[in-house]
Every structure is written in structure tokens, then in C-alpha cells.
Amino acid sequence: MTLLETTAFATPRPAAALPTIIQGGMGVAVSSWQLARAVSQARQLGVVSGTALDAVIARRLQDGDEGGHVRRALAHFPVPAIANRVLQKYFRAGGRVPGTPYLPIAKLSQHPLAKSLELCVVANFAEVWLAKEGHDGLVGINFLEKVQLATPSAAYGAMLAGVDYVLMGAGIPAEIPALLTGLARHETRSLDLHVEDSTARYSVEFDPEALTGGGLPALQRPRFLAIVAAHVLAVYLTREVSTRPDGFIIEGPRAGGHNAPPRGRGSLDDDGQPIYGPRDDADLAKVAAVGLPFWVAGGYGTPERVADARALGAAGVQVGTLFALSAESGLDETLRAQLLDDQGGPGLQIRTDPLASSTGFPFKVVTLPGTLSDATVYEERPRLCDLGYLRVPYERTPGVLGYRCPAEPVATFVRKGGSAEEAAGRKCLCNALTANVGLGQTRRDGYEELPLVTLGTDLDGVTALLAAHPGGWSAAEAVAYLEA
């Protein structure tokens, strides 16, 4: 049984056929509501990225909310006063004056302001609501375990919109099943924080009724899929009912975005990339023995690989890169065209960079001129941290937390207890990934944040689709290709 079936007061998601294809959750906003909606309408699992949605929605509103989509979603938010406060703060009819910086939003913290929680809840509601609008297909949302401070309020906002699945990777999401069960009943819930330099226990708490005023009906609890890289984590998470997910996504090192570090000594090849070996391949037979449905990811972007996964006992596959390059992707259109042109010409170069991400996890980086993959461009960027989603808490004094990120100014990071060595080579993913989707910040001195693109290294499906659709493809065409 799943946690849904063994928890007396949770409102379970009605039974439905398991998807064969899960469109990966790619942040920031590459897995847009448009992409997730298109995949869902093709009767597979469309997934929106839940990373930094507060900034994404605030910036879309400041850009004039073309098409009125965000405002249409917020008209359905169950507490209109909250939605109205967000609109009054951020919406700009006609958009910002060119060259005007986006308004800042408060960084994540253990004790956020009410306005920050409101924006987070409203933003996650809006993205899921738009993805689910006008059809009865399944929609999920993907969170990063590394962005713990946002998780409770973000998950609650998605649940208010009726999200069907929650997916989480980049860590060990042991507390999420119980969190979702409590949020479905509008209960106050807390999430333990990983605090550097401390053995004391800290947590972030979220009280749904204090935010909304209460009186809302119970919510349906979404199914939870834990994204892990090793079968031992799958076994670990199923030992207790409170940590047991409803299924797993087993992600290998060929996947885009963040990868699990190699097991063992962590050697690098001549190009400075981590070396993965047989020990990094999950034992799928042991995963299957756990008895929960699972999907495999990282190198499964062709119909032949989908068949291989099913033959190994998987319910299906999770695929990112094919959908990142589809027409409904949130990627800036110029970037997407450049990626497709490069794939059709000299080919894309994709590195597993062990330093790019401040999380310490290896991160796939596409080598593209004019982006932060270029060493000269990276060195010219003023080093700053004003979004701060990947900051981690550390103990300043007993009972008091500070926050630091190795991608912030080196002197600042060292002053907070970090080291210059740890800061070397780190890139500001928060700002770069928002630039990937056309929402990069413009500074008052005229500097504009530049992108840093990530894709998986499995490009066989991309090559096949590009041959069949030289002008590019839709999400529905990608689904049809994988189902062939």
C-alpha cells in the first residue's frame, strides 16, 4: 500500500492509469505551464517546474502578463484578497519601461514575511492551474530538495490548484510524504532544515490557515515521486510509512540539470568532468523488488529506450531534453533556435561541470557563445547573489541562522565561514536560469544577466525528431515519437 492508502485522514488522489512518459521538471520555468499542459493533453504526465516560481510570476506580471494568463489564473485563487495584493504589487499594464530592473522579492528564509508566503503560494497555484486548464489530464510539479525553505508553501499553492503529482530530487526527500498529507488537511507543518556547521535541529514552519484565514475544504493529496539515483535510497525511503513515496524516478548521470555525484573517489577526466562507472548505475531489479512503480531517466529519449525501460519492469520513462527543445518549452526562442541549429550542424557540446552549481552537485552545461559557459563571459559578470534560492543556512550563533552561497561575492562568502576554494568556478544559477526563459534581470548600471543552458547528453531522440521535423517539433509530436 502507498502512504495515501494507509493514512486515515488524507484525501487521496483518485486512481488513474500510470503514465508511460513523464515530461521532466526543468527549471527555471523551462517546464512551463504551456509545456506541461500540452503533454498532459497528450495523455501523459506534464510537469511544471516549481523552482523560483515566485520570481517567475512576479516578473511575468511586471512584463504586462501578455495574454492575461496569470491574471486569469489568479481570478480563480480561493482567497481573492491574497491574489489581489500580489496583482497590485507586481502587475504593470503594458509592461515595464525598457531597461527598468524587475522589482526585488525577499530571499527565502526560515521566518519569511507574510507577503513572501502569499507570493509563493499564489505563484505555484497559478502555474499549476494554467497547466490543468481545460482538460482532465494529469499534471505534476517538480521541486528541488535543496530549496527546502520554499517547499511547504510552494507545495500548498500547487495543491490548492489540484496538482496530481509532486516530484522531488536533488537530495533525500524523506519528509515530503507526510508534509503533503498534512497540507491536504490545511495543517501547520514543518520541514527540518539541513544547517551547515551545526548539529542542532532547525526547521521551517508553514501554517496554511494563518495565511488563508481558514475555512477551505480539504484538498486532494497528490501522489509523490521521489527522484533518486541509487536503489539503496529507494529501499531506505520505503522502510517507514512516513517516508514512503508513491513511486520513484531513477535518474542516471546522462540526465540534464543536476546529477548525483559519482560514487567512490570522485575522479575527473582530462576535460575536468566527473567520471561515472558501473557503481553509479542503479540496480533496477532491486528497485522493482521494493514493489512501487518506478520510471527511469537519463538516456531514455527514444522509443527503443522506452521499450527497454518497460522490459526492465519500469512503468515508463522521464524525458527532459526532447521537451526542453519543443515549441511549448519556456526556453527563450532565440536560445532554442540556436540549440536546434547547432544540433543540425556542428553538434552540441555538453559538459558535466563539477563546479558550476553552488549545490555541490555536478551540473550539465551546454557550451554556447554568449552564455556563462564561456569563461570570458563568466569572468566579466559582476559576482552577486540577489535571488538566493540556492543559499544554504548555517549557524551564525546558537539559535540564529545566516545564509550563504558559494556563487556570491567571494569575500562575502568567506566572511560567512565559507572558503575561497569552495567559491571558485561557481556560477549564479538562479540568475542564469531565469535569463534562459527571457526573465533575466537588468541592472541599474545597464548590465543584463546572461543565460546558462542545460540539457542531457542523450541526443539520439533530438536527432531523430529534427530529421522528421526540421523546423522544430511540438510537445505532442515528442510524445507521439516516444510512444511509437
Side-chain angles (χ1 to χ4, degrees), residues 90 111 135 153 198 200 210 263 291 351 371 423:
Y90 295 105
H111 303 293
H135 63 91
S153 55
S198 175
R263 301 178 70 186
R351 296 187 67 255
T371 72

Side-chain angles (χ1 to χ4, degrees), residues 30-243:
V30 171
S31 290
S32 63
W33 66 264
Q34 294 95 330
L35 175 58
R37 185 171 185 268
V39 173
S40 182
Q41 288 179 307
R43 315 314 296 176
Q44 298 298 341
L45 179 55
V47 178
V48 299
S49 169
T51 303
L53 273 177
D54 50 354
V56 167
I57 293 298
R59 292 184 177 187
R60 287 177 184 163
L61 287 171
Q62 290 171 76
D63 284 337
D65 186 25
E66 184 178 356
H69 302 301
V70 176
R71 285 169 289 164
R72 186 172 69 255
L74 295 194
H76 293 266
F77 190 74
V79 187
I82 294 177
N84 288 337
R85 283 194 287 272
V86 170
L87 286 171
Q88 290 170 6
K89 173 72 173 177
Y90 295 105
F91 178 60
R92 301 288 183 271
R96 296 172 300 142
V97 174
T100 303
Y102 287 112
L103 291 175
I105 62 173
K107 294 179 184 178
L108 301 176
S109 68
Q110 184 187 14
H111 303 293
L113 298 173
K115 64 180 181 181
S116 298
L117 292 175
E118 288 184 347
L119 176 58
C120 183
V121 170
V122 161
N124 282 268
F125 171 90
E127 194 78 352
V128 172
W129 189 92
L130 289 168
K132 291 181 69 68
E133 183 183 17
H135 63 91
D136 62 355
L138 298 173
V139 169
I141 190 166
N142 178 271
F143 297 122
L144 293 178
E145 202 273 341
K146 289 287 186 182
V147 191
Q148 290 183 296
L149 292 164
T151 298
S153 55
Y156 183 68
M159 291 170 66
L160 285 174
V163 74
D164 299 286
Y165 280 81
V166 168
L167 299 76
M168 179 177 280
I172 304 175
E175 295 181 82
I176 304 305
L179 173 73
L180 298 177
T181 298
L183 291 178
R185 302 192 295 253
H186 307 286
E187 294 176 350
T188 300
R189 305 300 294 186
S190 63
L191 194 66
D192 286 344
L193 297 175
H194 305 308
V195 177
E196 295 185 347
D197 305 333
S198 175
T199 57
R201 182 177 180 180
Y202 292 88
S203 63
V204 58
E205 185 176 277
F206 176 65
D207 182 348
E209 295 200 339
L211 185 80
T212 64
L216 300 179
L219 304 173
Q220 290 187 319
R221 179 196 183 276
R223 292 184 175 91
F224 174 60
L225 303 182
I227 304 174
V228 298
H231 58 270
V232 292
L233 288 180
V235 173
Y236 167 76
L237 289 172
T238 55
R239 287 179 177 173
E240 302 289 340
V241 170
S242 62
T243 64

